[in-house]
Amino acid sequence: MLKIGDITLKNQVVLAPMAGVCNPAFRLIAKEFGAGLVCAEMVSDKGILHENERSLKMLYVDEREKPLSLQIFGGERESLVAAAKYVDKHTNADIIDINMGCPVPKITKCDAGAKWLLDPDKIYEMVAATVDAVQKPVTVKMRIGWDEDHIFAVKNAQAVERAGGAAVAVHGRTRVQMYEGTADWDIIGEVKKNVSIPVIGNGDISTPQEAKERLEKYGVDGVMIGRAALGNPWMLYRTIQYLENGEIAPEPTAREKMNICMLHMDRLIELKGEDVATREMRKHAAWYLKGLPKTGTVRNEINQMTTRDGMSKLLFGYVEQIEEEIQKIS
Ligand SMILES: Cc1cc2nc3c(=O)[nH]c(=O)nc-3n(C[C@H](O)[C@H](O)[C@H](O)COP(=O)(O)O)c2cc1C
């Protein structure tokens, strides 16, 4: 049973926070596909404090998504704590997560994201100050270290624990690796052995079998799935099914995939309007098409789409063509 603070999750599968992806439209789909916890994309502490319209919109949580974790990032104690207080008071999120993993220079230059990984004392100080200031459980998502010479994963996680953090999610890469190489799960396993708060392992889980293997081999309390769920919420559902009953559910058909893609689009339109949603859905539609046959032409055409109806016609036109071909063969 994975419990974060006083929140009990119904399973061990967590949707990773992903900027530009984990808004209420996709999070709700992930929740409907069974995710025990969904994480929102990171929001800037300063954006919240300056009441930047875009940042405040990112704090919206649909009741149906809960339990949900909202992630903030920042490099200064005062603003981080103030933003956490805002999230605590003004949102219906269940958990406040602090980002200590973002590798991009724009963020690390401000002492935020992965920059924290070099200084366990700073981690302690910032997490303790945040925990003191809010009611909701505070968690941290971190990478294993800054670079291969500075892997302080265990010390950093222990600092989170001492400071009163309710759980830690560990992505098994260093900041310098960005998304290259492979996640080092041995280090995630070391973290698990050295703290008593829940540890959620993250990095490179691409099948239900891998999720089960990581849970068993490294003893982590939960698995966090990111890229494998892009355009593929079935990855969450199939993993949960496999963990529960040992059965691998069939892969979705092209039509099932496009039905969910359009549900995703309709929710995104409600959230952002048709223009923005259509532009954003181009990348999602390409992800939904991944793994399906003969997608070359449809993938190119996605990028010309400017309306919901255009996208729907294009995607279902592709589905019909594929279904006809399958019928001819069988
Ligand atoms: C498009 C994208 C956006 C991401 N945005 C965030 C973010 O906002 N906050 C965060 O902590 N991690 C973010 N990450 C990292 C993921 O949460 C996760 O740690 C990483 O993708 C490794 O897990 P995976 O191999 O399952 O994808 C992002 C990853 C991707 C691919």
Side-chain angles (χ1 to χ4, degrees):
M1 189 72 79
L2 176 51
K3 205 169 170 209
I4 299 179
D6 54 0
I7 319 250
T8 303
L9 308 187
K10 64 178 183 194
N11 58 53
Q12 297 170 289
V13 178
V14 177
L15 173 70
M18 288 183 281
V21 175
C22 292
N23 50 44
F26 185 60
R27 293 185 323 232
L28 185 54
I29 287 174
K31 179 48 60 95
E32 289 164 346
F33 277 73
L37 177 69
V38 294
C39 298
E41 53 193 329
M42 62 181 191
V43 189
S44 147
D45 60 349
K46 300 256 164 64
I48 295 171
L49 298 181
H50 296 151
E51 301 199 343
N52 171 296
E53 197 188 326
R54 202 169 147 253
S55 301
L56 295 189
K57 269 196 183 153
M58 288 164 89
L59 301 181
Y60 171 72
V61 177
D62 184 319
E63 275 297 310
R64 293 171 294 172
E65 301 176 59
K66 285 159 72 67
L68 172 135
S69 164
L70 261 180
Q71 188 184 65
I72 54 174
F73 70 91
E76 287 163 26
R77 177 174 159 158
E78 210 171 86
S79 54
L80 191 84
V81 169
K85 274 185 173 171
Y86 186 98
V87 172
D88 199 49
K89 274 214 186 72
H90 300 290
T91 78
N92 54 345
D94 301 275
I95 295 166
I96 300 173
D97 187 49
I98 304 176
N99 180 310
M100 295 188 198
C102 183
V104 304
K106 202 175 98 185
I107 306 289
T108 56
K109 258 193 243 154
C110 306
D111 285 341
K115 193 65 191 288
W116 298 51
L117 302 172
L118 289 165
D119 190 349
D121 291 340
K122 178 174 175 182
I123 291 179
Y124 173 80
E125 189 196 309
M126 302 278 262
V127 175
T130 310
V131 168
D132 276 353
V134 301
Q135 303 289 317
K136 298 185 198 284
V138 175
T139 59
V140 167
K141 171 148 181 288
M142 56 170 58
R143 288 186 176 233
I144 53 173
W146 180 261
D147 59 22
E148 59 180 337
D149 298 323
H150 299 86
I151 294 184
F152 303 151
V154 170
K155 271 193 188 159
N156 288 340
Q158 286 172 333
V160 172
E161 178 170 43
R162 260 188 297 121
V168 62
V170 186
H171 174 194
R173 284 189 175 78
T174 63
R175 182 265 166 182
V176 166
Q177 276 183 291
M178 305 293 270
Y179 289 91
E180 300 294 319
T182 50
D184 187 334
W185 275 79
D186 287 334
I187 294 176
I188 298 174
E190 279 306 302
V191 171
K192 172 61 197 166
K193 282 189 207 139
N194 285 285
V195 295
S196 53
I197 52 174
V199 175
I200 299 165
N202 169 239
D204 301 344
I205 296 177
S206 58
T207 63
Q209 293 91 331
E210 277 171 12
K212 187 164 195 269
E213 188 257 353
R214 304 278 149 87
L215 281 163
E216 286 170 356
K217 184 166 174 192
Y218 299 99
V220 288
D221 303 277
V223 281
M224 179 179 269
I225 296 173
R227 289 166 295 173
L230 294 173
N232 187 15
W234 291 268
M235 172 60 191
L236 303 167
Y237 170 77
R238 295 171 80 242
T239 299
I240 294 155
Q241 287 297 305
Y242 186 59
L243 293 177
E244 277 173 10
N245 59 28
E247 281 166 25
I248 291 287
E251 294 275 8
T253 63
R255 185 170 291 277
E256 283 166 337
K257 281 187 143 191
M258 294 314 122
N259 281 339
I260 297 300
C261 180
M262 287 311 299
L263 172 68
H264 189 162
M265 182 164 193
D266 286 335
R267 287 182 175 162
L268 210 54
I269 290 171
E270 256 177 58
L271 215 65
K272 305 192 174 191
E274 186 168 5
D275 273 2
V276 175
T278 306
R279 256 179 283 129
E280 285 194 13
M281 274 312 288
R282 292 173 185 163
K283 69 180 178 203
H284 290 287
W287 285 325
Y288 280 98
L289 285 163
K290 223 172 139 188
L292 296 175
K294 299 189 178 171
T295 55
T297 313
V298 62
R299 271 171 187 275
N300 286 336
E301 288 177 7
I302 283 169
N303 293 323
Q304 268 88 60
M305 291 303 113
T306 52
T307 62
R308 184 225 178 259
D309 288 348
M311 188 70 94
S312 175
K313 220 169 138 193
L314 173 68
L315 296 178
F316 286 108
Y318 160 77
V319 168
E320 272 158 31
Q321 179 200 324
I322 290 297
E323 287 177 344
E324 266 174 36
E325 287 188 22
I326 292 172
Q327 237 176 4
K328 267 189 217 153
I329 302 166
S330 55

